[in-house]
Amino acid sequence: MSSVTISLIKADVGSLCGHHIVHPKQIEVAQEFLEKAKVRGIVLDYYVFNCGDDLELLMTHEEGENSQRIHELAWNIFKEVTEKVSKPLKLYAAGQDLLKETFSGNVKGMGPGVAEIEIEERPSEPFVVFAADKTEPGAWNLPLYKIFADPSNTAGLVIDPNMHGGFSFRVMDVKKGKYVDLECPKEIYELVALIGTTGRYVIDRIYRSEDKLLAAVASTSRLSLIAGKYVGKDDPCMIVRAQHGLPAVGEILAPFGFPHLVAGWMRGSHNGPLIPVGLKDARCTFFDGPPRVVGLGFQLSNGKLVGLKGKEPADIFEDVAFDGARRKGMEIADYLRRHGEFMPARLGPEEMEYTTLPDVLKKLEERFAEEK
Ligand code: F6R
Ligand code: MG
Ligand code: MG
């Protein structure tokens, strides 16, 4: 077959018990809608899931990236779920991420997060889909760096000659809406110089340098920059292809064994550990968190999703191997919370600008007197 596109489009359109979890009825309505789209031949296949309060639509199709047809489909699903379920059940923050009234060609810049990858399906095409809640796109910077640039994480960078050409990282400056391509290992220091600033420079996609094979794509939208005010964190997603001259699935998962600190958590205003969880634990509780990530493993077969039972994916973090990361994550969560509202538990002033804190500080402005 010709090229296939895997699109993961997600939005928070309301949730149960605050910003806790997507309601099963929301998933059901999205599934029904996508089943009809499949029968009409718009999509080849789909899988609907959630990470916390974010509804995630995974779709395969032949329309390419940024297809108006696919983006409109996703937009209409989010609208339908909002109108048919979120509003009647008075779920919390119904339609939250639908920042614009009407669809205008592409959901990017309208609220939903998008990760899309157009590929020539390999003889065997394993890939992993990641989705996180209560954090921002910069949360992927450290794991993606480790997976594609760090030989102490990815043995293949040393052992597999097919990876010796390295990988090219496309980094977005989310403030300016510009990007730069950096070749690793040659420009690894420049890469880290940028992506260490996780709130501004985020990895958009990664190519294998030798043949420009697209290996990974991530969602990069910053809702607050679109809306110009606090509207929650973006709760990013990404798609990573694996094996046979790309990092092995185990090399892709290994960085998540370390619950690194990410921005987000309560009120999008705190640093917290990103803990890897199975789908059943993809719901935020303690202090609206801690931030969580799920990993779903699939094979692609002629554009169709192959999972365990039918297209049920391998629920990759639902494994004892990640118990240690979860435990350590909760220790870190407890340690950070003991700081209360003091930095660095709370984010710095630049990030807090996009929260409701400035409204509080405004009230004090007039009371500041000159130092005597
Ligand atoms: C973070 C998040 C939550 C809310 C918090 C307050 O992304 O969604 O932590 O910020 O629960 O929510 P509101 O202001 O809606 O009461
Ligand atoms: Mg929410
Ligand atoms: Mg969320």
Side-chain angles (χ1 to χ4, degrees):
M1 71 187 298
S2 55
S3 67
V4 185
T5 303
I6 309 169
S7 297
L8 179 58
I9 306 186
K10 49 80 49 185
D12 176 345
V13 289
S15 47
L16 179 81
C17 198
H19 297 276
H20 173 57
I21 195 166
V22 165
H23 191 283
K25 192 83 195 141
Q26 294 175 298
I27 294 197
E28 212 176 288
V29 167
Q31 279 168 338
E32 281 165 15
F33 212 108
L34 277 165
E35 186 57 36
K36 283 185 204 146
K38 188 174 169 182
V39 170
R40 288 171 57 204
I42 301 171
V43 297
L44 295 168
D45 211 350
Y46 65 89
Y47 183 72
V48 182
F49 65 102
N50 75 292
C51 186
D53 59 6
D54 292 284
L55 182 61
E56 314 267 344
L57 313 176
L58 179 67
M59 298 167 282
T60 58
H61 55 88
E62 293 175 294
E63 308 278 328
E65 292 177 24
N66 292 311
S67 148
Q68 174 158 347
R69 210 171 175 210
I70 297 300
H71 281 226
E72 191 162 21
L73 172 67
W75 180 261
N76 289 341
I77 293 171
F78 293 135
K79 278 273 181 208
E80 177 100 338
V81 171
T82 303
E83 296 305 322
K84 269 201 169 161
V85 189
S86 314
K87 286 186 180 172
L89 296 186
K90 294 179 77 172
L91 294 180
Y92 195 66
Q96 175 187 285
D97 286 355
L98 307 180
L99 299 180
K100 307 275 155 91
E101 270 305 305
T102 44
F103 179 73
S104 59
N106 191 309
V107 287
K108 277 187 196 159
M110 300 184 71
V114 183
E116 292 186 294
I117 189 164
E118 184 173 1
I119 60 170
E120 297 300 326
E121 193 177 296
R122 296 172 292 167
S124 182
E125 187 62 67
F127 68 98
V128 186
V129 163
F130 294 92
D133 190 27
K134 305 290 183 273
T135 185
E136 60 182 17
W140 303 138
N141 283 6
L142 177 59
L144 283 174
Y145 161 75
K146 285 188 179 172
I147 296 165
F148 289 98
D150 181 357
S152 61
N153 178 83
T154 297
L157 291 170
V158 179
I159 294 172
D160 184 349
N162 293 320
M163 275 195 252
H164 270 210
F167 290 90
S168 170
F169 288 68
R170 178 160 295 177
V171 178
M172 287 286 300
D173 175 343
V174 289
K175 281 217 166 122
K176 291 202 167 149
K178 291 181 166 182
Y179 69 84
V180 59
D181 288 323
L182 293 168
E183 295 287 339
C184 289
K186 199 168 133 233
E187 297 181 295
I188 201 164
Y189 298 156
E190 287 85 346
L191 177 74
V192 177
L194 286 181
I195 65 172
T197 306
T198 48
R200 175 158 182 183
Y201 299 103
V202 303
I203 298 167
D204 176 78
R205 47 191 56 219
I206 298 170
Y207 299 90
R208 188 164 58 193
S209 298
E210 215 163 71
D211 55 1
K212 298 280 167 273
L213 180 119
L214 190 49
V217 291
S219 62
T220 55
S221 60
R222 291 283 315 260
L223 284 173
S224 51
L225 299 177
I226 298 168
K229 61 176 173 56
Y230 178 66
V231 276
K233 286 283 180 201
D234 298 270
D235 303 335
C237 58
M238 67 171 172
I239 304 166
V240 185
R241 297 167 81 187
Q243 307 289 153
H244 200 70
L246 292 176
V249 170
E251 291 164 338
I252 292 167
L253 303 181
F256 294 96
F258 168 63
H260 66 292
L261 290 183
V262 297
W265 207 355
M266 173 60 78
R267 297 174 189 276
S269 306
H270 298 86
N271 283 311
L274 183 67
I275 58 170
V277 292
L279 283 169
K280 74 170 176 35
D281 297 315
R283 54 203 154 88
C284 289
T285 53
F286 175 67
F287 200 57
D288 281 2
R292 282 159 210 239
V293 55
V294 294
L296 309 186
F298 292 97
Q299 291 285 144
L300 205 59
S301 173
N302 299 317
K304 295 267 163 56
L305 295 167
V306 178
L308 282 171
K309 294 174 222 135
K311 63 184 171 193
E312 281 301 312
D315 188 359
I316 282 182
F317 293 135
E318 184 54 59
D319 183 58
V320 291
F322 291 92
D323 283 351
R326 292 189 268 270
R327 246 190 330 269
K328 178 163 289 284
M330 285 318 300
E331 265 170 44
I332 294 167
D334 180 51
Y335 171 85
L336 280 166
R337 287 320 311 140
R338 290 197 195 189
H339 292 76
E341 287 308 289
F342 291 80
M343 283 173 62
R346 198 181 72 193
L347 300 181
E350 205 183 320
E351 288 289 308
M352 294 305 290
E353 243 178 69
Y354 294 100
T355 70
T356 46
L357 187 70
D359 296 338
V360 176
L361 299 182
K362 213 176 276 163
K363 283 196 250 165
L364 294 177
E365 248 167 41
E366 285 172 8
R367 291 177 51 191
F368 271 93
E370 289 301 330
E371 199 182 9
K372 296 242 165 63

